[in-house]
DNA sequence: TTATTTGCAAACAATTTGCTCAGAG
DNA sequence: CTCTGAGCAAATTGTTTGCAAATAA
């Protein structure tokens, strides 16, 4: 995540949230996550540090942080919602369908074209998401499968 | 939808599906739908014509048609999956967040850039989705609203 | 103190599945 | 007649909520 371990106190104060034990751990785990964990995975990591924390608390905290604009919620093909820090430059995602890995990328060109399209239709963009589901390129040459 | 009312027999035969009463109705309703209905909404429309049809059957038929490549499944922000015919030229969606309306658009330029990005990362595109969430542009100038 | 926050269990919404019977081919 | 498909209800999955007890400020 983009916010650091030290930002946690600041983040809570800033948004009028009480700095509770569970929140501290949840945000710490978020801060250390390089991937895009879903609520259940996050809960798994959190309870490794602090076994008492309920899944419901994780959900409530995630919802809260999203609402405050700290996190962004994504819905990649599978059912669950996945989260990442919102305070970074906007980017889109490549999802490797074979491994589930998520790769971030950014294309100013595409961003620009989107603006243009929205404008042409008489709209302003609120948000947008571009997900490219991919699989490793097969080198062809020699025998195929 | 793109496939016509008459294609139904053909579609079933083509894919080795039995042309049953429920399927006939479900596909007919799909054929007549101009929007992107979810399973429950579809079921609502279907039971208006043929009250006995179970929701499970709608789900099974949708899954089947998706698997056969007849339909495309979308996940716009809200939980449920929404469907549209797949046998049309690929396009993306503008979603009006104020009304929920979905507008289709296509940008060859964006399609090309996506290919390029995937290739640069060493992947082939399996599928992709671009959703732009928008709201009507406010004309500033004179009084608004 | 006292308004938030938590844990727990029950509630939910969307979708899937097991099973037995009906009906298409 | 045979095997696919349907209906129904129960099961799953991911997420939310009610409520009494715990706790940050």
């Amino acid at each position: 995540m983009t916010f650091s371990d030290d930002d946690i106190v600041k983040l809570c104060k800033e948004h009028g949230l009480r700095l509770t034990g569970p929140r501290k751990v949840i945000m710490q785990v978020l801060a250390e996550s390089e991937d895009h964990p879903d609520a259940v995975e996050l809960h798994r990591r959190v309870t490794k540090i602090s076994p008492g924390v309920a899944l419901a608390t994780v959900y409530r905290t995630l919802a809260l942080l999203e609402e405050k604009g700290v996190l962004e919620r994504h819905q990649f093909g599978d059912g669950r919602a996945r989260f990442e820090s919102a305070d970074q430059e906007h980017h889109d995602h490549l999802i490797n369908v074979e491994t589930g890995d998520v790769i971030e990328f950014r294309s100013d060109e595409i961003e620009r074209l989107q603006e243009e399209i929205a404008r042409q239709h008489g709209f302003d963009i609120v948000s947008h998401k571009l997900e490219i589901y991919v699989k490793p390129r097969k080198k062809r040459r020699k025998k195929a499968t």
Side-chain angles (χ1 to χ4, degrees), chain A residues 47-61:
Chain A
T47 48
K48 206 165 288 174
I49 300 176
S50 187
V53 178
L55 177 57
T57 303
V58 171
Y59 273 109
R60 280 191 275 236
T61 304

Side-chain angles (χ1 to χ4, degrees), chain A residues 30 39 42 57-67 71 83:
Chain A
L30 276 172
L42 201 55
T57 303
V58 171
Y59 273 109
R60 280 191 275 236
T61 304
L62 287 172
L64 214 48
L65 293 177
E66 187 199 2
E67 175 187 317
L71 294 182
F83 297 83

Side-chain angles (χ1 to χ4, degrees), chain A residues 39-106:
Chain A
V40 175
E41 170 58 25
L42 201 55
H43 180 242
R44 226 188 316 272
R45 298 181 193 176
V46 164
T47 48
K48 206 165 288 174
I49 300 176
S50 187
V53 178
L55 177 57
T57 303
V58 171
Y59 273 109
R60 280 191 275 236
T61 304
L62 287 172
L64 214 48
L65 293 177
E66 187 199 2
E67 175 187 317
K68 299 296 184 186
V70 178
L71 294 182
E72 232 169 73
R73 172 190 304 261
H74 295 288
Q75 287 270 286
F76 303 138
D78 46 17
R80 52 239 133 106
R82 305 172 70 178
F83 297 83
E84 70 176 321
S85 132
D87 62 324
Q88 41 189 321
E89 192 181 37
H90 172 83
H91 58 256
D92 295 301
H93 299 96
L94 282 171
I95 297 109
N96 183 334
V97 296
E98 291 184 1
T99 64
D101 290 348
V102 175
I103 298 160
E104 303 178 351
F105 73 89
R106 173 179 174 80

Side-chain angles (χ1 to χ4, degrees), chain A residues 9-49:
Chain A
V9 186
K10 198 185 311 168
L11 269 177
C12 282
K13 196 155 294 181
E14 223 165 81
H15 295 289
L17 304 178
R18 290 191 177 173
L19 186 51
T20 69
R23 277 183 193 159
K24 242 178 287 189
V25 182
I26 294 170
M27 295 177 76
Q28 179 202 324
V29 172
L30 276 172
E32 291 167 359
S33 295
E34 291 302 322
D35 50 351
H36 303 68
D38 61 85
V40 175
E41 170 58 25
L42 201 55
H43 180 242
R44 226 188 316 272
R45 298 181 193 176
V46 164
T47 48
K48 206 165 288 174
I49 300 176

